[in-house]
Amino acid sequence: MPKVRKDINSLTDAELDDYIHALDILRQRSDVNEDDPTGYAFQAALHNGSAGPCEHGSDLFLPWHRAHLHYFEKLLQESDPPRTQNVTVPYWDWMSEQTPEKFPLAFKKPGLKAPRSSAPASLPPNTRQIVTMETDQKEFAGYPDGDLLGDAGRLESGPHDTMHGFYIGGLMANPSTAAEDAIYFSFHSFIDLMWAEWQHRNGSPPLTSPDHVLRGFTAQPKNKVSDFTNTVDLDYEYEYNDQLKEAFGVPVPPPLPLRLLATEPLTPLDGNTDLVTELRDNEVARLGFSVPETRGQRLLVRLDELKVPNTGTYMLRGFLHPSDVEFQPEDGEFTRRFGAGYVTLWRAHPHGHHGHDGPPVAHHPVSRTARFDVTSTLNSLGANGADLAFTLQFIPAPSPTGVPPHPVPPLDEVELKEVRMEVYS
């Protein structure tokens, strides 16, 4: 019978103590030998640096992190049996508001405590909708490497990246230190839960890139994407808390495959400047938007080759509104009426590695594709050719401690190739 991963808030005192006990044993191994592959430091380095590193910006993101959790969990179970033989990685349900604390109280205990941002922050607003409403596998989970339609999936480029840089902070703000904080494993256990829920809701479609070997796991018996299709086959399943039962207890919408019907570029309303310059100078950029003759079923605004920053994390929020309406992003009514989503660019992994026959290469993609779905906003405006604007707003992430960044380093790194409107059937 599969072992059960539970909400960390629902663990008994004994279960939580056993989990921390197993973590401590792995840490002790690293104290003796930092290169011990069964130690915590090596397991963190699978994500953070030379031992892996992690996969981001493609359809490998979810399978890689499922593999990381799987093998880490096995080490915990084998650390001190029989006490630890049923230990699993508890998930942190960060989709639901934490009251009265920002983080579950368990993460204040010795063995789980780490420096993090204590500053108030909002949880990503659309996490549940991404799981319950997005039926396209590539849009949800990521595109195969080299796919012309995109790269990172919505779960990664929205909630995942936002939580790392805007909400949690501390070691988790930087991909080269994230897994040093034990909250990483519970955070990604919840990412994995949402993927498992999406798979269940959508009939578990075959994974893309099934034969790709996941780096860092080549010596393991399971090392291909296809090996990490099903949680039960990996000997675990999730126990839902009451909030998740309610959140996911909604009908599955009919699938809406993306088929491109038409596309055209969007250009700045101020013809005297280019988009990147306007965004860097004002932290806001306005583009003209004309309702296309072919409306289709989904209307998206696409940002191509959006550079992943090296020095910090930032968010771009999108708004579709009449061009003569004053841009007021801090006004709740304005945001409700005209908001069209967001994308977060978590800072790049700073490490490079040498291939066998070539120069150092980046661990992760150096640029991203971002999409803003403006369908519902446009429908609510009832506009058929009205004078509209699509506005992008730049928002820098706070420092790892939660204080405002000063100066704002990622602003100078904002680069993108073009912005296009896309009409899909």
Side-chain angles (χ1 to χ4, degrees):
M1 186 169 181
K3 295 178 175 62
V4 178
R5 291 184 186 171
K6 301 179 181 180
D7 180 351
I8 195 166
N9 288 314
S10 70
L11 295 184
T12 65
D13 290 342
E15 288 171 331
L16 184 58
D17 287 345
D18 289 346
Y19 176 56
I20 295 174
H21 174 66
L23 288 172
D24 286 342
I25 291 175
L26 269 57
R27 293 189 180 104
Q28 290 163 12
R29 292 174 182 171
S30 296
D31 289 341
V32 175
N33 177 9
E34 191 173 4
D35 295 324
D36 183 346
T38 68
Y40 189 99
F42 185 92
Q43 293 300 308
L46 278 172
H47 178 276
N48 296 345
S50 58
C54 54
E55 290 282 5
H56 286 276
S58 74
D59 61 341
L60 305 179
F61 166 69
L62 291 172
W64 191 96
H65 287 82
R66 179 170 283 179
H68 194 206
L69 286 167
H70 169 69
Y71 286 116
F72 183 77
E73 190 169 73
K74 293 300 181 187
L75 290 176
L76 296 176
Q77 292 164 357
E78 296 164 0
S79 63
D80 186 22
R83 178 178 177 180
T84 61
Q85 64 186 16
N86 292 316
V87 163
T88 56
V89 177
Y91 66 85
W92 165 32
D93 174 12
W94 45 264
M95 187 171 72
S96 305
E97 291 289 348
Q98 302 294 329
T99 55
E101 300 284 340
K102 184 176 181 181
F103 302 102
L105 293 177
F107 291 113
K108 286 187 174 182
K109 293 179 71 72
L112 293 179
K113 188 175 181 179
R116 304 179 188 107
S117 169
S118 60
S122 298
L123 293 166
N126 62 339
T127 306
R128 179 181 67 83
Q129 287 80 1
I130 290 174
V131 179
T132 60
M133 300 301 293
E134 180 57 73
T135 58
D136 185 274
Q137 180 171 222
K138 293 178 181 179
E139 274 292 286
F140 174 82
Y143 289 76
D145 186 40
D147 195 309
L148 297 179
L149 283 179
D151 35 64
R154 292 181 64 198
L155 185 63
E156 179 185 1
S157 62
H160 169 270
D161 288 3
T162 302
M163 288 294 293
H164 268 282
F166 280 82
Y167 192 93
I168 303 173
L171 297 167
M172 285 280 282
N174 190 326
S176 67
T177 59
E180 293 175 21
D181 184 346
I183 204 172
Y184 159 88
F185 292 99
S186 290
F187 169 78
H188 268 283
S189 185
F190 190 57
I191 289 279
D192 187 66
L193 179 154
M194 288 189 284
W195 182 28
E197 171 67 19
W198 186 92
Q199 290 178 297
H200 172 73
R201 297 175 67 86
N202 292 276
S204 297
L207 302 187
T208 53
S209 308
D211 296 325
H212 188 98
V213 176
L214 297 168
R215 61 187 176 205
F217 303 106
T218 55
Q220 297 286 5
K222 298 178 185 292
N223 55 42
K224 292 183 178 181
V225 165
S226 59
D227 292 328
F228 297 94
T229 301
N230 188 291
T231 67
V232 174
D233 291 343
L234 296 170
D235 193 32
Y236 73 93
E237 58 188 0
Y238 288 100
E239 176 185 276
Y240 283 13
N241 60 32
D242 291 340
Q243 296 97 317
L244 294 180
K245 290 177 183 177
E246 180 178 356
F248 296 142
V250 295
V252 179
L256 290 176
L258 294 178
R259 186 168 69 88
L260 186 64
L261 298 178
T263 180
E264 63 179 69
L266 302 184
T267 57
L269 283 174
D270 182 355
N272 297 320
T273 186
D274 65 271
L275 171 64
V276 172
T277 300
E278 184 178 0
L279 199 54
R280 288 183 176 182
D281 288 347
N282 305 313
E283 301 186 14
V284 169
R286 300 201 316 156
L287 300 100
F289 186 98
S290 298
V291 179
E293 292 183 6
T294 303
R295 289 285 290 271
Q297 291 183 326
R298 292 183 76 175
L299 194 61
L300 308 180
V301 173
R302 169 177 169 145
L303 279 59
D304 271 336
E305 297 184 25
L306 185 61
K307 181 181 180 292
V308 177
N310 294 309
T311 56
T313 296
Y314 70 85
M315 177 188 296
L316 290 177
R317 289 205 300 174
F319 301 84
L320 183 67
H321 58 95
S323 59
D324 59 356
V325 171
E326 182 182 359
F327 181 64
Q328 302 178 74
E330 305 309 320
D331 183 319
E333 179 62 17
F334 179 91
T335 299
R336 185 191 65 78
R337 291 187 62 194
F338 305 124
Y342 70 99
V343 62
T344 299
L345 278 294
W346 189 30
R347 63 177 297 179
H349 206 297
H351 302 292
H353 67 276
H354 286 271
H356 294 295
D357 302 309
V361 294
H363 286 327
H364 304 141
V366 296
S367 64
R368 291 275 186 90
T369 299
R371 286 190 175 92
F372 298 84
D373 192 331
V374 300
T375 311
S376 61
T377 305
L378 184 62
N379 290 341
S380 69
L381 290 171
N384 294 303
D387 189 12
L388 300 175
F390 181 78
T391 299
L392 284 171
Q393 179 193 17
F394 170 89
I395 304 173
S399 73
T401 61
V403 300
H406 182 74
V408 183
L411 190 57
D412 292 337
E413 291 197 72
V414 175
E415 294 180 13
L416 69 157
K417 182 180 179 181
E418 65 178 349
V419 181
R420 303 189 69 84
M421 176 174 61
E422 297 182 324
V423 183
Y424 288 89
S425 62

